[in-house]
Amino acid sequence: MTFFNKTLSFILLFLEVILLFLSTYLTIALIGASFPINTDYNPENGEIEIFVTSNGIHTDVCLPVETTLIKWTEFIDTKTFRGIKQSPKFISIGWGDKGFFLDTPSWSDLKASTAINAAFLPSSTAMHVTYFLRKPIENQSIKRCVITKEKYTELIGFIKQSFVIKPDMTPQLIPNVGYNSKDNFYEAKGSYYLFRTCNTWTNDALTIAGVRTSALALFENGILRHL
């Protein structure tokens, strides 16, 4: 066999392995997204209004800033946000790959190295926090849920434990980064990889909150389709 033929055979084998891996991954994602959990969820039994937001790829949970259970501004100080001059009404929180978050403010900034690292290598993570002055308006990419106080207490605990906490019990800010004047990034716990994505974190949050969602949500559709 000539060198050319060996090289061609290797390339074809490599492509077959990649295609097999991708098809297996997508099949797992499809099956996981198809099976709902918390099927007894009934928003009429809830007391606290929350939202799930999506940009088409990434999902966040959006929560009221102040309830009888927590005032989020006491945990995440608005003084570190350049554009917050008045009391915000809602806070959006998401977890994800740190490099992707910080190096890709828009899709035009996406680098192949960033995408490959996020997809195939366990990588460090960050929390993305945005304050909003008004309540979100429900639409195709913003879904409203209503949960009980008991479930919201559990959700608060899940979210807080996702942050790296300093000795003064406040989140560890990543300084001088952010997409606009109303958002910040913070150090997070855990590693990001193919089966632990930003959407699986949101899905875990909704599972704890008792909201109907999927058994496994690697992509945002695995969440939104059940809401």
Side-chain angles (χ1 to χ4, degrees):
M1 183 180 288
T2 66
F3 175 78
F4 174 79
N5 288 336
K6 289 181 179 180
T7 302
L8 181 59
S9 296
F10 175 80
I11 292 173
L12 292 175
L13 178 61
F14 177 77
L15 291 176
E16 287 178 5
V17 171
I18 292 296
L19 288 174
L20 177 61
F21 175 82
L22 289 176
S23 63
T24 302
Y25 182 74
L26 292 175
T27 299
I28 292 171
L30 179 61
I31 293 173
S34 299
F35 288 94
I37 58 175
N38 291 336
T39 54
D40 59 347
Y41 165 67
N42 184 353
E44 294 183 1
N45 296 331
E47 304 155 279
I48 296 177
E49 187 179 45
I50 68 171
F51 294 85
V52 178
T53 64
S54 172
N55 65 1
I57 300 292
H58 178 88
T59 52
D60 293 337
V61 291
C62 192
L63 315 167
V65 166
E66 186 172 358
T67 63
T68 57
L69 299 175
I70 189 173
K71 187 175 182 179
W72 283 104
T73 52
E74 294 178 351
F75 179 64
I76 303 174
D77 196 341
T78 57
K79 292 179 182 178
T80 60
F81 293 75
R82 294 176 291 113
I84 303 298
K85 305 302 181 184
Q86 52 185 300
S87 298
K89 299 300 181 184
F90 273 77
I91 181 172
S92 176
I93 303 175
W95 176 97
D97 179 82
K98 184 177 180 180
F100 198 96
F101 266 149
L102 303 186
D103 299 334
T104 315
S106 66
W107 289 114
S108 61
D109 298 305
L110 179 61
K111 300 176 182 177
S113 58
T114 301
I116 292 171
N117 184 70
F120 295 104
L121 299 175
S123 52
S124 58
T125 55
M127 305 298 294
H128 184 215
V129 176
T130 307
Y131 275 115
F132 293 100
L133 299 180
R134 299 176 183 83
K135 183 172 74 173
I137 299 174
E138 191 173 13
N139 57 40
Q140 288 186 339
S141 60
I142 300 176
K143 300 297 183 179
R144 175 180 175 271
C145 309
V146 186
I147 63 176
T148 65
K149 287 184 178 180
E150 291 75 18
K151 288 298 184 181
Y152 190 50
T153 299
E154 295 181 37
L155 177 59
I156 291 168
F158 171 79
I159 292 172
K160 282 188 170 184
Q161 66 85 29
S162 298
F163 286 86
V164 171
I165 303 298
K166 299 186 297 182
D168 65 359
M169 302 307 294
T170 60
Q172 177 65 58
L173 176 69
I174 302 174
N176 304 317
V177 293
Y179 300 148
N180 55 59
S181 63
K182 295 181 175 64
D183 75 321
N184 275 334
F185 288 95
Y186 298 83
E187 298 289 353
K189 296 177 183 177
S191 296
Y192 185 103
Y193 52 94
L194 272 175
F195 291 96
R196 179 60 177 166
T197 71
C198 57
N199 297 306
T200 61
W201 182 89
T202 301
N203 199 58
D204 288 346
L206 295 178
T207 300
I208 289 171
V211 175
R212 180 185 172 95
T213 188
S214 69
L216 176 65
L218 299 175
F219 304 107
E220 55 98 33
N221 178 258
I223 297 171
L224 299 186
R225 67 187 296 177
H226 297 291
L227 299 176

